[in-house]
């Protein structure tokens, strides 16, 4: 359903239809376990590629932090890394203070380096 909602917005330019399908996905995810890999992938697609059209960036950013955490918990560091990259771009376009953003990026890179050494 997430991919269908994505195509409604990006290909058909039907934002209302994309919102409707996105809401269906959100309601399905309410009942899903946070550790479920399929639900983690659906959250990833929903919050990185669809949700920001309908809610303020701050809400999408906070969901991205959850996606990053659950991705690492599910053993998917690539998805966690991609989520962080998109979250940083959202912080940049939201107008985050550059020294603060630079510090956050540095901490994330150190965290990723530690994770790759451990795994």
């Amino acid at each position: 359903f997430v991919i269908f909602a994505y195509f409604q917005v990006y290909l058909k330019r039907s934002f209302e239809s994309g919102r409707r399908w996105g809401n269906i996905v959100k309601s399905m995810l309410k009942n899903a376990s946070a550790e479920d890999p399929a639900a983690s992938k659906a959250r990833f697609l929903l919050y990185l590629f669809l949700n920001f059209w309908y809610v303020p960036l701050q809400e999408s950013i906070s969901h991205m932090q959850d996606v990053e955490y659950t991705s690492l918990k599910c053993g998917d560091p690539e998805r966690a890394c991609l989520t962080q990259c998109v979250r940083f771009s959202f912080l940049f376009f939201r107008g985050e203070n550059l020294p603060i953003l630079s510090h956050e990026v540095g901490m994330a890179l150190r965290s990723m380096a530690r994770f790759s050494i451990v795994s």
Side-chain angles (χ1 to χ4, degrees):
F1 290 119
V2 168
I3 293 172
F4 187 72
Y6 174 83
F7 285 120
Q8 292 299 308
V9 172
Y10 287 93
L11 294 180
K12 291 181 71 179
R13 301 288 189 221
S14 176
F15 292 95
E16 258 329 291
S17 182
R19 179 193 301 265
R20 185 174 68 250
W21 285 101
N23 287 337
I24 290 170
V25 172
K26 283 182 186 179
S27 67
M28 291 171 67
L29 289 174
K30 284 181 186 176
N31 300 324
S33 166
E35 287 83 27
D36 178 19
S40 179
K41 288 178 186 175
R43 284 184 183 92
F44 169 77
L45 293 170
L46 178 68
Y47 294 120
L48 267 68
F49 299 108
L50 187 67
N51 200 52
F52 67 88
W53 286 101
Y54 306 108
V55 299
L57 279 181
Q58 184 56 45
E59 187 177 325
S60 289
I61 290 167
S62 64
H63 285 296
M64 284 184 210
Q65 289 173 314
D66 295 337
V67 168
E68 176 193 346
Y69 176 75
T70 56
S71 296
L72 286 174
K73 227 175 156 180
C74 292
D76 193 346
E78 291 175 46
R79 189 177 328 123
C81 181
L82 181 58
T83 302
Q84 273 204 349
C85 292
V86 174
R87 185 173 72 85
F88 291 142
S89 70
F90 278 23
L91 286 169
F92 177 79
F93 287 112
R94 184 189 71 176
E96 188 69 39
N97 186 330
L98 286 179
I100 292 172
L101 182 59
S102 175
H103 178 71
E104 267 196 64
V105 169
M107 287 184 351
L109 290 173
R110 284 189 291 282
S111 172
M112 282 184 240
R114 276 195 305 271
F115 182 80
S116 65
I117 290 170
V118 170
S119 35

